[in-house]
């Protein structure tokens, strides 16, 4: 792969570089503090899904992944320097949680990885990955497990790519967004091609934000390690997992409301940005507008599935129905964004009067072309997720605004849809 300069014989190349090398919000620190506060004894199970059925992993990839996984136990908690940075940058973390994370250790025995061969071929197959244990511990597995797997896959199973032109590509993307006065953050940890490209992208976004004049802004990164390394803001909202877990523990009838209330108890000063599509945005907004006082405290919404062009008009109607000026609210878009898609959405929000920003992930940290095609075909990122499967033995489901993103036992999904009055 030419200029990659990676020692592939060393398992460490794919490991996170710090306990902070994860997302602030996505099954990570803010979520972990909320679980520690409310559900310290809850037991959880997570399961991996690779949505692209035509992509297989090699046995070598599997073996290297197992080796890397065993070394997660070597990670210490956050360092004194990182702890000081967390205290200064993230005042919403209390001392109880900071002490907890300082002493945190990964337990690789919580993770099980199986290699299921393809049609009897011993060298190709699918991976079945699960993690089980206390929710407050296993919650930190999702992001690094996927980032590690992606890096190993693209250095063993798919090597038909290189880094040539990536610096220029990242700069042009940032320039396009900044010149259009867009506000955006980097959300690309989970499916990054490598730590190296992630590091490069964040550095380039910062450089572009200093060079390109205008109202556009690189707001920050969801990755705590890079926020610390480069002195930018760590960015995060709330994840589907919170709503899924609350529903399993408290029931589905008022799950959205209970989840918002419990979150607000942990983060009373916010920022309070509500993710709306765990059980469909339709259901969320129906519950949201029942309590004007609470809706007034939550200053924005996050769109993460479905048609983004129907989202702002729908949100405008919802806020207007309870007498809240939608122009004082914001929307964060984070679903499979590209520069062009973000700018199309921004044009609509500007016309309506919504403040909007964009959390951009795979487009920034895993946008490559195959060498064998002469650069004409994409070298596709792994289309993978790790989702909460159960809490205390109760199955968890997600009913997305995009049908292909539904998660959980099909029968349970149908049952929950019936509770919410959604089409089967």
């Amino acid at each position: 792969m030419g200029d990659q300069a990676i020692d592939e014989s060393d398992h460490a190349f794919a490991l996170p570089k710090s306990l902070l090398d994860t997302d602030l919000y996505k099954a990570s620190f803010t979520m972990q503090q909320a679980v520690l506060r409310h559900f310290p004894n809850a037991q959880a199970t997570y399961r991996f899904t690779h949505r692209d059925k035509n992509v297989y992993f090699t046995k070598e990839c599997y073996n290297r992944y197992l080796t890397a996984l065993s070394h997660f136990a070597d990670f210490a908690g956050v360092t004194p320097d990182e702890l000081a940075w967390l205290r200064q940058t993230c005042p919403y973390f209390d001392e109880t949680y900071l002490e907890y994370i300082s002493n945190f250790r990964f337990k690789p025995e919580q993770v099980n990885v199986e290699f299921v061969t393809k049609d009897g071929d011993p060298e190709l197959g699918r991976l079945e990955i699960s993690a089980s244990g206390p929710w407050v511990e296993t919650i930190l597995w999702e992001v690094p497990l996927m980032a590690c797997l992606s890096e190993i896959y693209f250095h063993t199973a798919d090597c038909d790519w290189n880094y040539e032109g990536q610096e220029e590509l990242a700069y042009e993307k940032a320039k396009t967004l900044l010149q259009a006065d867009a506000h955006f953050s980097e959300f690309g940890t989970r499916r990054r091609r490598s730590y190296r490209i992630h590091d490069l992208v964040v550095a380039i976004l910062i450089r572009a934000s200093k060079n390109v004049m205008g109202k556009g802004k690189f707001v920050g990164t969801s990755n705590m390690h890079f926020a610390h390394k480069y002195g930018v803001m760590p960015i995060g909202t709330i994840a589907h997992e919170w709503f899924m877990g609350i529903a399993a523990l408290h029931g589905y009838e008022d799950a959205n409301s209970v989840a918002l209330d419990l979150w607000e108890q942990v983060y009373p000063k916010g920022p309070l940005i509500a993710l709306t599509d765990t059980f469909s945005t339709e259901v969320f907004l129906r519950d949201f507008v029942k309590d004007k006082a609470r809706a007034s405290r939550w200053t924005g919404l996050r769109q993460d599935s479905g048609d983004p062009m129907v989202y702002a008009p729908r949100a405008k109607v919802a806020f207007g129905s309870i007498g809240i000026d939608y122009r004082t609210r914001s929307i964060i878009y984070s679903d499979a964004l590209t520069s062009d898609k973000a700018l199309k959405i921004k044009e609509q929000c500007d016309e309506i009067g919504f403040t909007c920003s964009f959390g951009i992930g795979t487009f920034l940290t895993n946008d490559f072309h195959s060498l064998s095609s002469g650069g004409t075909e994409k070298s596709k990122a792994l289309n993978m997720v790790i989702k909460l499967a159960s809490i205390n033995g109760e199955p968890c489901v997600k009913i997305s605004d995009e049908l292909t993103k539904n998660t959980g036992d099909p029968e349970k999904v149908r049952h929950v849809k019936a509770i919410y009055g959604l089409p089967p």
Side-chain angles (χ1 to χ4, degrees):
M1 291 184 293
D3 62 350
Q4 293 187 64
I6 294 287
D7 180 5
E8 296 177 10
S9 65
D10 181 4
H11 69 273
F13 79 88
L15 289 173
K17 300 305 181 281
S18 159
L19 190 62
L20 293 187
D21 188 9
T22 190
D23 284 336
L24 171 64
Y25 75 99
K26 185 63 190 81
S28 192
F29 284 12
T30 51
M31 295 272 288
Q32 188 181 43
Q33 177 173 246
V35 171
L36 181 64
R37 178 82 61 87
H38 290 299
F39 309 107
N41 299 315
Q43 299 293 305
T45 298
Y46 293 81
R47 288 198 177 90
F48 168 86
T49 299
H50 187 239
R51 292 170 174 152
D52 192 336
K53 305 305 181 184
N54 297 318
V55 173
Y56 293 89
F57 298 90
T58 62
K59 192 64 175 291
E60 179 189 9
C61 177
Y62 165 70
N63 288 332
R64 293 196 181 194
Y65 191 52
L66 289 182
T67 300
L69 176 62
S70 69
H71 287 274
F72 271 81
D74 301 337
F75 275 95
V78 295
T79 67
D81 178 59
E82 291 170 336
L83 188 62
W85 177 79
L86 286 170
R87 281 197 177 97
Q88 179 180 6
T89 309
C90 307
Y92 39 81
F93 291 139
D94 62 28
E95 287 301 317
T96 298
Y97 177 67
L98 291 175
E99 180 180 0
Y100 179 86
I101 200 67
S102 297
N103 297 310
F104 182 84
R105 298 293 185 276
F106 280 111
K107 299 175 182 176
E109 63 270 19
Q110 294 174 337
V111 181
N112 183 65
V113 186
E114 300 289 340
F115 186 75
V116 181
T117 59
K118 173 185 180 290
D119 300 328
D121 185 341
E123 297 303 317
L124 286 178
R126 298 193 174 279
L127 296 185
E128 294 183 357
I129 305 171
S130 62
S132 299
W135 192 10
V136 72
E137 296 177 5
T138 52
I139 198 167
L140 284 195
W141 276 118
E142 176 186 341
V143 174
L145 280 181
M146 286 196 286
C148 181
L149 177 59
S150 181
E151 185 149 4
I152 291 175
Y153 174 83
F154 284 109
H155 286 86
T156 57
D158 181 356
C159 302
D160 188 23
W161 60 277
N162 64 23
Y163 285 102
E164 184 177 351
Q166 282 292 311
E167 184 171 343
E168 296 80 5
L169 182 62
Y171 191 89
E172 284 303 310
K173 290 174 182 176
K175 182 179 176 182
T176 297
L177 292 163
L178 291 165
Q179 288 182 332
D181 298 335
H183 286 212
F184 65 98
S185 304
E186 181 277 312
F187 274 24
T189 305
R190 289 173 292 157
R191 300 183 186 95
R192 69 189 184 193
R193 183 145 303 203
S194 66
Y195 175 90
R196 174 179 169 178
I197 189 61
H198 200 172
D199 193 10
L200 180 146
V201 162
V202 174
I204 292 299
L205 297 180
I206 293 170
R207 175 154 64 88
S209 69
K210 294 177 180 178
N211 293 345
V212 179
M213 297 295 102
K215 297 179 181 179
K217 184 177 181 180
F218 170 55
V219 180
T221 172
S222 64
N223 185 283
M224 301 287 282
H225 166 68
F226 288 119
H228 175 231
K229 178 178 180 178
Y230 288 108
V232 298
M233 284 300 297
I235 303 297
T237 57
I238 188 171
H240 299 107
E241 178 181 343
W242 183 247
F243 296 89
M244 294 167 69
I246 298 303
L249 290 167
H250 286 269
Y252 285 88
E253 285 77 6
D254 57 351
N256 286 311
S257 297
V258 173
L260 294 178
D261 290 343
L262 291 177
W263 188 266
E264 197 172 342
Q265 289 175 24
V266 183
Y267 303 104
K269 297 181 180 179
L272 299 174
I273 307 294
L275 178 61
T276 63
D277 69 330
T278 307
F279 306 117
S280 83
T281 294
E282 176 187 341
V283 170
F284 179 90
L285 292 178
R286 193 168 65 203
D287 294 341
F288 193 60
V289 298
K290 292 177 181 178
D291 189 333
K292 180 179 178 179
R294 181 176 58 218
S296 298
R297 294 191 299 271
W298 286 73
T299 58
L301 307 174
R302 179 158 74 94
Q303 188 271 347
D304 196 52
S305 65
D307 183 355
M309 301 307 292
V310 306
Y311 196 85
R314 178 187 287 183
K316 175 183 176 181
V317 171
F319 283 119
S321 71
I322 51 176
I324 295 177
D325 185 353
Y326 69 90
R327 292 167 297 186
T328 65
R329 310 290 101 170
S330 63
I331 301 176
I332 297 176
Y333 293 85
S334 59
D335 180 29
L337 293 174
T338 63
S339 299
D340 290 343
K341 186 176 178 180
L343 296 188
K344 181 180 179 181
I345 295 168
K346 182 181 183 300
E347 181 179 3
Q348 182 196 55
C349 286
D350 288 346
E351 291 176 356
I352 294 174
F354 261 115
T355 299
C356 68
S357 64
F358 305 94
I360 305 177
T362 306
F363 178 67
L364 291 175
T365 62
N366 205 332
D367 185 15
F368 290 79
H369 287 78
S370 64
L371 295 178
S372 60
S373 71
T376 61
E377 296 180 6
K378 285 282 188 180
S379 173
K380 293 181 180 179
L382 294 177
N383 188 10
M384 58 183 173
V385 294
I386 293 178
K387 289 294 185 183
L388 188 64
S390 69
I391 291 288
N392 290 347
E394 181 66 25
C396 297
V397 302
K398 173 174 173 277
I399 301 172
S400 172
D401 291 336
E402 169 56 52
L403 291 179
T404 61
K405 290 187 174 183
N406 285 350
T407 300
D409 175 72
E411 183 57 37
K412 186 69 174 182
V413 169
R414 285 190 289 271
H415 175 68
V416 173
K417 283 185 174 182
I419 291 175
Y420 288 135
L422 295 172

